[in-house]
Amino acid sequence: MKKRNEWVRKNLKREKKKGDQGIVDLMRIMYHFFKELPKWIDEMEDPRHLSYVTYTQADLMYMGILKNICAVKTMRGMEEKFNEDNCIETLRILSGHQQLKEMPHSDTLNYYLEKLSPECISGLRRKMVKSLIRMKTFSRGKLLGRYWRVILDGTGLFYFKERHCENCLVKTVTGNDGKKTKAYFHKVLEAKLVLSDKIIISLGTEFIENEKEDVSKQDCEINAAKRMLVRLKKEYPRLPVCLQGDALYAAEPIMAACRENKWRYIFTQKDTRQRLLGESYEWIKSGGGTEEVTGIGKEQGTGRYANHVEAVTGKGEVTNVFEYERKETQKEGSVSKTVFQWLTDIELDRKNLEEMVNAARGRWKIENEGFNNQKNGIYDIEHLNSRNSNAMKNHYLLTQIADIIMQLYLAWNPLVREIGQSIKNTSSRLLESFRRQPITDEDVLYIRRYTTVYLE
């Protein structure tokens, strides 16, 4: 909670809001970071019959992106809220389609997404991400000044009482009455790229799904992770990566893949996953074989580490173990102790231990806040915008692209930084600006000439 002297008075908040240019500022962010975005969109392979095409791909893609940024939950809601002259004019400027006279119908957008290959939107995201990586703006976000942190995290997307398609995953659920029923669902695995403490964007997506209805073994998160690593290496062959994930990924096949790709890793250590490594580390610690560093982080906790624990266990992959211990005094006066433990192939020393601990602990916060924001925040990724399997994937990928733009906008936005405006309120203001604010030639000139953007 902020101290009283840090509060922003209501009259000051009103004054600061007067300087907010809404959709114009959003367009400025997009132009600064992704100047060639309309060109990249038009380079995608259009699946429609060209003789029947009224709207360009850029018209439809920008419409889907703005739906997410403006927190419009449903396709019908988009149809109603975007039916304004100002919306048409703004979309015309964004897409570059000078003959645009009406906003596309929601059915038109869904039809396009049903036909479009998800690889096209993934390719568009790749161009956006590479554009950001090349900027020196985010170099400070690298681990140890060298590695880009990539965090693996999976989540459920859509749930059905009956089989939705042949790619559905299925599990048996036992109710309180003991009755067993089958539940059908779709899952996704995300690779998140950490650009800074507040900007964590989608780097890659792997849908967890069965190849067909009758399979002897269902697809799972580990298999999806293996496919993801192959994809990331192919798409970003020279990117120095430090892969992070929970204990699920602390398996030798994943570690071996990191070694083959010349990547690093940091995974949560749990005895249920790597029991022998845990026991070996405790044996080394009991014999005084670990190094200890005190006063780590804001909590002034204690860090410990031991390099090459694999030499004791006989494992094949290089495995260094480090842990962080914090103590908290409870109200009744008792002291509670919490210990976190991780595996890595990065050589540990007293100089880099604090940075490694902060990076490892930060993964948990990123995972929980990342998908939680997308599910319960402005995007509502669990909402079914279409029952078509291909369109479902494309809607999800469009959300990831919108989230990249929105995170950059939030990191820059003075109202968020100075008066603590919430993400939902920021999104609502963008929607009203999109609907009510006419874009002038002067605004367009401002966007194109004054594109310098300073992030927090």
Side-chain angles (χ1 to χ4, degrees), residues 2 11 35 58 82 88 121 129 191 206 217 242 268 271 279 300 354 373 411 436 438:
K2 288 185 176 181
N11 62 337
K35 187 176 180 179
F82 287 3
I88 298 169
I121 303 184
V129 171
E206 193 67 41
K217 188 176 182 181
C242 178
T268 302
D271 290 344
E279 290 176 352
Q300 296 295 290
E354 183 168 4
N373 285 339
R436 306 301 178 200

Side-chain angles (χ1 to χ4, degrees), residues 63 66-68 70-84 87 103-107 109-110 383-385 431-432 434-435:
M63 186 179 177
L66 287 167
K67 171 187 177 294
N68 284 285
C70 294
V72 181
K73 305 292 185 181
T74 66
M75 299 297 282
R76 179 178 293 180
M78 179 188 67
E79 184 77 25
E80 295 172 355
K81 289 181 170 62
F82 287 3
N83 188 26
E84 301 284 348
C87 294
M103 293 293 288
H105 194 279
S106 58
D107 289 345
L109 176 59
N110 262 339
H383 176 74
L384 200 62
N385 289 291
L431 175 59
E432 285 309 302
F434 183 44
R435 284 162 51 84

Side-chain angles (χ1 to χ4, degrees), residues 30 136 156 193 235 303 318 347 456:
M30 295 168 73
K136 294 182 180 179
L193 176 66
E235 295 180 350
V318 174
E347 196 78 8
E456 184 181 5

Side-chain angles (χ1 to χ4, degrees), residues 232-246:
L232 291 181
K233 185 61 179 178
K234 181 180 178 181
E235 295 180 350
Y236 305 93
R238 293 183 293 176
L239 190 69
V241 167
C242 178
L243 195 69
Q244 291 187 244
D246 58 26

